[in-house]
Amino acid sequence: MNIYDTGQGRRSAILQKLREDSSVSVTQLSKQFGVSEVTIRKDLRILKERKLLIRVHGGAIKGAAIAAAEEGEQNVNFKSLVHAKEKEAIGRAASAHIKDGDTIMIDSGTTALEVARHLDRFHDLTIITNSINAMIEALKYKRFRVMLVGGSVRESSMSMVGSLSESNLKLFYCDKLFLGVDSFSVEAGLSTPSIEEASTNQVMISRAREVIAVFDSSKINKRALAFIAMPDKINTVITDKNLPSSVANQLRDMKINVETVYV
């Protein structure tokens, strides 16, 4: 199936086009994706409701969320649509590392959120998270123990952060942590634009028996403001097939398990 056959795939592509061109037209998108103008208008309306673009006559222009993304601080609604297919496949692959009876921790990244969406086959899990969205997904199964840690709400990521969040996390140990990051470099480690998110992630890592980093390959060889940890704190990296072979080899030399997914 073509990625443009799904609403999510089209909307992800529309946002990417806005990042490149600053504006799009309904007619242009209709021809590009091979769907009706009515369908495109619906896509634009959904993106407008999520505050991801500004609707104008005949099309749309870049909104504040995209401008912020270009500066490194991305709204969670925007991030969830970027590389959506890769994130879904990574989340599915990551869930294969879970077994019934596990206590798992899920951070607030949009790729980590996909792990929460692939827990159908499990019956007995304890899920600890600082992500409001991951909590909502976990509760849908109606059979897991779900704990949302307290703290200050960081609206852009819909996450709980700060000293209260960190104090709550220190009450727990978990079998596996699923950690999504904004930037990853073998030399500079894992990083994020948010100092509070970085501090919370550091505590998560300290409470986990196994750390599984989940992120798409667009995050590779980048560095953000706030340092989280060096790669040697990670047990497994799960990403997409576009991971450079040189990076994969470096990670394997560090005894880090590397898994790549295809979409």
Side-chain angles (χ1 to χ4, degrees):
M1 182 176 67
N2 190 307
I3 186 174
Y4 302 140
D5 291 339
T6 69
Q8 180 170 273
R10 280 193 312 276
R11 292 189 283 274
S12 176
I14 289 169
L15 290 177
Q16 185 59 42
K17 191 163 184 62
L18 275 173
R19 293 185 75 179
E20 296 167 356
D21 300 336
S22 298
S23 66
V24 293
S25 76
V26 171
T27 301
Q28 169 197 40
L29 294 172
S30 174
K31 291 177 180 177
Q32 179 180 345
F33 300 148
V35 297
S36 70
E37 293 191 3
V38 171
T39 297
I40 294 298
R41 290 191 188 96
K42 180 181 178 182
D43 288 334
L44 295 181
R45 175 176 54 78
I46 290 171
L47 293 172
K48 176 188 174 184
E49 290 172 351
R50 296 179 183 177
K51 299 183 172 31
L52 298 176
L53 53 73
I54 298 170
R55 192 75 164 86
V56 297
H57 180 70
I61 61 174
K62 185 186 299 185
I66 297 176
E70 291 168 347
E71 297 174 1
E73 184 64 70
Q74 299 182 355
N75 175 280
V76 67
N77 288 328
F78 179 88
K79 290 171 70 174
S80 67
L81 290 169
V82 177
H83 304 291
K85 289 290 185 181
E86 289 86 352
K87 291 177 179 180
E88 191 275 336
I90 292 165
R92 187 187 319 113
S95 71
H97 288 255
I98 301 170
K99 64 179 186 296
D100 262 319
D102 274 350
T103 295
I104 65 172
M105 197 174 284
I106 300 174
D107 95 318
S108 60
T110 53
T111 307
L113 175 61
E114 290 297 330
V115 178
R117 291 173 172 159
H118 289 85
L119 303 176
D120 306 72
R121 67 183 180 280
F122 301 107
H123 301 280
D124 177 22
L125 295 176
T126 298
I127 301 170
I128 304 164
T129 185
N130 73 322
S131 165
I132 296 171
N133 289 332
M135 175 202 69
I136 291 169
E137 290 296 328
L139 288 173
K140 291 178 182 178
Y141 298 98
K142 300 184 184 302
R143 58 182 181 271
F144 303 142
R145 291 177 294 278
V146 181
M147 286 174 267
L148 177 70
V149 300
S152 301
V153 178
R154 183 167 178 255
E155 189 174 352
S156 63
S157 61
M158 295 298 286
S159 62
M160 311 301 287
V161 297
S163 58
L164 179 58
S165 178
E166 292 168 25
S167 296
N168 284 179
L169 286 166
K170 289 175 182 177
L171 296 173
F172 305 107
Y173 288 108
C174 69
D175 297 296
K176 299 173 181 78
L177 163 63
F178 295 95
L179 180 67
V181 297
D182 291 279
S183 304
F184 181 92
S185 163
V186 172
E187 294 77 21
L190 295 75
S191 56
T192 175
S194 168
I195 295 171
E196 288 184 316
E197 290 275 8
S199 183
T200 301
N201 289 160
Q202 289 169 356
V203 176
M204 287 180 162
I205 290 171
S206 74
R207 314 313 284 175
R209 178 180 292 126
E210 181 179 355
V211 180
I212 301 171
V214 290
F215 51 86
D216 68 83
S217 61
S218 71
K219 310 299 194 304
I220 298 293
N221 293 327
K222 293 183 179 179
R223 184 178 64 185
L225 170 67
F227 171 78
I228 299 172
M230 292 304 292
D232 61 4
K233 297 294 184 181
I234 300 168
N235 301 99
T236 299
V237 166
I238 306 177
T239 186
D240 61 74
K241 63 181 178 60
N242 294 317
L243 175 72
S245 58
S246 59
V247 175
N249 290 335
Q250 285 178 288
L251 292 173
R252 290 185 177 113
D253 287 344
M254 298 170 68
K255 309 302 181 186
I256 296 171
N257 180 42
V258 178
E259 295 181 24
T260 55
V261 301
Y262 292 79
V263 295

